Amino acid sequence: MLKVNNLVKIYPSGEGKLHALDGVSFEITDGELVAVTGRSGSGKSTLLNIMGLLDKPTEGEYYINDKKASGLPSWEQAKVRNAEIGFVVQDFALVEKYTVKQNVNIPLIYSKKQLDKEKAIREVLRRVGLSDKINTPVYKLSGGQKQRTAIARAVVNDPSVILADEPTGALDSVNANGIMTLFESLSRAGKTVVIVTHDMNIAARCSRRIELSDGKII
Amino acid sequence: MTEFIRLAFCEIKTQIKRYIILVFEMMAAFLVIGFLCSMLSGINMTNQTVNGAGIPADYYRAKSTAVYTDGGRAINGDERQALLIEFIADNFHTEGVTGYTTPLDHPILMATDGYFDIYGLRLEKGRAFNKDEYDSDNADMPIIMGYGFINDYDIGDTYMDKFTIVGFLSDEQYIPELSGRISKGFSVNYNIYTPIKSREWLKENGVSYPTDLIYSENKSELDAINQKAEELGLYAYNFLSADEAEQILINTTSTLNIPLVLITLLITAMSLLCLVQSMLEFVRKNIVELLIHMICGAKLSNIILRVGAGTVLTAFISAAAASLAFRSASTAAVLFITAAAVTVIAVLPIAISLKLKPPIVAVKEEK
């Protein structure tokens, strides 16, 4: 379960301050597929970065599976990020020169979980339909295949939470549909999936929608 | 520990080509820095030679070892030169070394009784030659080796099946070599000495008696040598006292080396800048990739370890390879210190910058 309690994020902006998040609170139960929507600059990505422990809130608390994650030292946040969170972003954040297998292996390099790494990689690539691309360098893949690789990487260490920031933003409708199907299956498998999107068709396929405007839930 | 090594070398394995190119870039820069060190070391040698030679005031030496005839320079084996040297040896007390031609890697120098004292050469370990060992045609040939051999041999070892090692000279010792504008101090680290043989033996084997230093209470007594030279159809020697020799060394250092050192300093500074620039670019390229690892759960220390290990290894391999070219402990030390400094300059600012920023901000900025 994810619990966000009165999150505030303030960025310095010129002589003033920009409230990217202004007292955001909500809970997401295990296995939910949630869309976070809102216009550009509404605070969606900031919220997702804080939930992914990639950024720190100015105020407020954030819990993952009843454990307070905000305020942990950065090395402990890295451990939580590795064990509990899978991250998918619009531009894939893949190392282009690595092969698909090398990219998917990245979380496993730092994982303390007792996994058969080779088996885990092959299994996850089978699930995203990239078994035949295992040794292909990422720069040779299409956009859809890259995003599948990113999803495979996000789930290979068996995290409980998948956070996706505009995961279909760089894809055509066919590939976007395929990616959403993958997220739906992950949700059905018990993973908590949070998708930041401005695409209402994507949001409509989620079980719940949280809409932000000027850093507040509306 | 296994985890540490795995993480440290994971990066190198994935980017071996980039690391090899960087090693060569750094080696080039280190060679320039090493050249400067050698030059400064040469000046230092000269200064130490001037300060440490301690040649007594009543010893003189020829300004140049070359003897000129009216038909040109007398070459080794010129009978007239041999006669002149014989005349000097017969009529004056002389000290010095003469080369003993052997098929060995390092020529063995036959040194006179007073040679070591006059040049103030100290022993690191072992013993000096006995009085009995000088002017002896005995088949047993004791040798004293320079400090450069101290790790390869020991006292009592036999060198080339013929010579018995009895001592080693201390490090950082030099003898003055006067040869016109390239006058300077020469390290004795790779010299090998044996006591000089008898005059008869030297003559029989075609080896000249050393006349490096000629003892005379009065410089005018040396006119006899010039007279003999003239009789033989040779130009006369110029004789220098220790003070005059010292002045030549000092002048050579100030007039010849300083502009060269300044130019080399400039080139070295440029090389260092290029080196730091290469390292920074290299680390930056790696950081962009490794920040993706942070999204996947790598700790900052993992990232620093992966970048740092590769950088340290690259810098130190380059420094070690460049050091081989100079065969000098002090130059090697300078290169390794430079390697360490460059590594810190390249890695530390990025480490601090990443420490102060949330990962996502760092990722965005680096991208």
Side-chain angles (χ1 to χ4, degrees):
Chain A
M1 190 182 76
L2 300 178
K3 185 179 172 189
V4 165
N5 187 19
N6 199 28
L7 277 189
V8 174
K9 180 70 184 179
I10 302 170
Y11 291 112
S13 171
E15 289 179 5
K17 288 175 179 174
L18 175 69
H19 285 253
L21 293 176
D22 193 0
V24 173
S25 301
F26 59 83
E27 284 185 23
I28 300 173
T29 54
D30 293 343
E32 259 195 289
L33 176 58
V34 176
V36 178
T37 59
R39 276 187 281 185
S40 189
S42 61
K44 309 185 294 291
S45 293
T46 302
L47 174 64
L48 203 76
N49 289 336
I50 291 171
M51 291 171 73
L53 304 177
L54 293 171
D55 203 352
K56 290 181 177 175
T58 310
E59 283 175 33
E61 289 112 35
Y62 167 49
Y63 298 83
I64 300 176
N65 299 331
D66 296 328
K67 285 182 196 163
K68 190 178 173 186
S70 54
L72 287 173
S74 59
W75 63 271
E76 259 192 78
Q77 287 194 337
K79 274 167 74 176
V80 174
R81 203 160 54 236
N82 178 258
E84 301 294 343
I85 301 168
F87 226 93
V88 180
V89 295
Q90 183 177 356
D91 66 356
F92 323 124
L94 297 169
V95 183
E96 292 277 319
K97 65 180 183 188
Y98 285 12
T99 62
V100 168
K101 183 181 175 182
Q102 285 170 325
N103 269 286
V104 175
N105 185 50
I106 293 173
L108 301 179
I109 296 173
Y110 308 99
S111 175
K112 302 285 180 208
K113 292 180 183 173
Q114 296 298 315
L115 289 171
D116 179 341
K117 294 182 179 179
E118 187 69 28
K119 194 175 163 193
I121 292 169
R122 288 188 183 279
E123 171 58 21
V124 81
L125 286 177
R126 187 191 62 74
R127 279 163 60 191
V128 299
L130 286 176
S131 292
D132 58 331
K133 302 287 181 191
I134 186 163
N135 291 316
T136 306
V138 162
Y139 64 83
K140 288 188 176 173
L141 300 180
S142 68
Q145 289 169 328
K146 283 181 181 175
Q147 199 57 295
R148 285 168 187 274
T149 306
I151 292 170
R153 187 185 64 190
V155 299
V156 72
N157 200 30
D158 195 27
S160 57
V161 180
I162 310 293
L163 302 175
D165 189 0
E166 302 281 6
T168 58
L171 305 177
D172 58 41
S173 58
V174 177
N175 276 309
N177 182 48
I179 294 299
M180 275 312 292
T181 306
L182 271 174
F183 284 131
E184 284 164 346
S185 69
L186 287 169
S187 170
R188 279 195 300 277
K191 309 282 183 201
T192 305
V193 182
V194 181
I195 300 172
V196 161
T197 183
H198 61 268
D199 183 336
M200 285 305 131
N201 292 325
I202 297 295
R205 291 176 67 169
C206 296
S207 55
R208 183 150 67 104
R209 186 157 73 95
I210 297 170
E211 187 163 4
L212 289 177
S213 176
D214 295 330
K216 293 179 179 168
I217 294 177
I218 52 173
Chain B
M1 192 62 189
T2 316
E3 183 70 3
F4 177 91
I5 294 168
R6 192 175 63 83
L7 276 177
F9 289 95
C10 198
E11 188 56 26
I12 297 166
K13 210 172 83 183
T14 55
Q15 304 195 67
I16 191 73
K17 272 188 208 162
R18 266 161 75 176
Y19 276 101
I20 290 171
I21 291 167
L22 189 68
V23 163
F24 280 101
E25 276 180 28
M26 293 184 79
M27 265 175 63
F30 282 137
L31 285 172
V32 173
I33 296 164
F35 179 69
L36 177 75
C37 290
S38 298
M39 192 172 281
L40 292 174
S41 162
I43 293 172
N44 184 42
M45 267 189 218
T46 304
N47 291 337
Q48 291 202 34
T49 309
V50 168
N51 296 330
I55 301 169
D58 38 14
Y59 272 96
Y60 293 85
R61 57 182 301 157
K63 187 178 178 183
S64 166
T65 51
V67 180
Y68 291 88
T69 72
D70 45 8
R73 185 178 163 178
I75 55 165
N76 281 343
D78 185 303
E79 197 182 332
R80 291 172 300 171
Q81 189 177 355
L83 285 170
L84 182 62
I85 288 169
E86 211 171 294
F87 172 80
I88 298 169
D90 284 340
N91 293 284
F92 295 87
H93 174 77
T94 61
E95 299 284 358
V97 289
T98 187
Y100 174 43
T101 312
T102 70
L104 307 177
D105 292 345
H106 296 277
I108 293 184
L109 301 169
M110 284 190 276
T112 58
D113 193 3
Y115 176 83
F116 292 96
D117 286 341
I118 286 171
Y119 285 114
L121 298 178
R122 301 175 310 280
L123 285 174
E124 182 71 17
K125 63 176 181 178
R127 64 167 178 87
F129 299 130
N130 296 326
K131 208 75 179 158
D132 305 344
E133 288 168 336
Y134 285 100
D135 290 335
S136 157
D137 295 342
N138 197 319
D140 293 338
M141 297 185 80
I143 53 169
I144 291 175
M145 300 182 113
Y147 190 81
F149 297 96
I150 205 160
N151 293 324
D152 302 323
Y153 297 96
D154 209 347
I155 303 291
D157 285 357
T158 303
Y159 180 65
M160 300 300 284
D161 300 327
K162 189 171 181 181
F163 304 94
T164 307
I165 301 164
V166 298
F168 289 93
L169 294 174
S170 297
D171 197 11
E172 305 260 318
Q173 298 194 92
Y174 310 93
I175 52 169
E177 188 72 23
L178 294 183
S179 184
R181 282 176 59 78
I182 55 161
S183 300
K184 59 182 179 180
F186 271 99
S187 169
V188 296
N189 272 4
Y190 288 93
N191 282 1
I192 302 173
Y193 296 100
T194 190
I196 195 153
K197 295 265 186 190
S198 71
R199 292 280 306 281
E200 291 71 28
W201 188 95
L202 293 172
K203 212 168 183 178
E204 274 171 27
N205 289 277
V207 183
S208 295
Y209 197 85
T211 56
D212 305 7
L213 292 169
I214 306 166
Y215 176 82
S216 172
E217 286 182 353
N218 189 335
K219 192 175 178 179
S220 63
E221 289 171 12
L222 302 177
D223 289 346
I225 300 173
N226 287 336
Q227 260 183 0
K228 183 67 180 175
E230 273 181 44
E231 281 172 27
L232 292 165
L234 298 167
Y235 286 116
Y237 276 114
N238 280 322
F239 297 102
L240 293 172
S241 67
D243 287 346
E244 289 164 333
E246 183 179 314
Q247 199 52 53
I248 284 186
L249 283 169
I250 291 167
N251 289 347
T252 305
T253 304
S254 56
T255 57
L256 179 69
N257 289 338
I258 299 302
L260 208 55
V261 166
L262 289 176
I263 292 167
T264 313
L265 264 176
L266 190 68
I267 297 170
T268 305
M270 302 293 276
S271 298
L272 267 174
L273 278 176
C274 292
L275 189 61
V276 170
Q277 176 73 11
S278 292
M279 275 296 227
L280 282 172
E281 273 179 21
F282 182 74
V283 170
R284 282 250 171 243
K285 274 183 192 167
N286 279 346
I287 284 292
V288 175
E289 285 171 22
L290 289 173
L291 284 172
I292 291 171
H293 288 235
M294 279 184 95
I295 293 174
C296 299
K299 290 180 271 187
L300 178 63
S301 59
N302 296 146
I303 303 299
I304 301 301
L305 182 63
R306 291 185 66 153
V307 174
T311 313
V312 167
L313 198 70
T314 308
F316 280 78
I317 286 175
S318 317
S323 297
L324 290 177
F326 297 102
R327 289 180 62 180
S328 153
S330 51
T331 303
V334 169
L335 295 186
F336 278 106
I337 290 167
T338 309
V342 169
T343 307
V344 170
I345 290 169
V347 176
L348 199 62
I350 286 178
I352 293 171
S353 150
L354 291 180
K355 177 87 183 154
L356 297 176
K357 290 173 196 162
I360 195 68
V361 177
V363 172
K364 282 177 181 167
E365 282 184 5
E366 291 299 332
K367 277 191 148 183

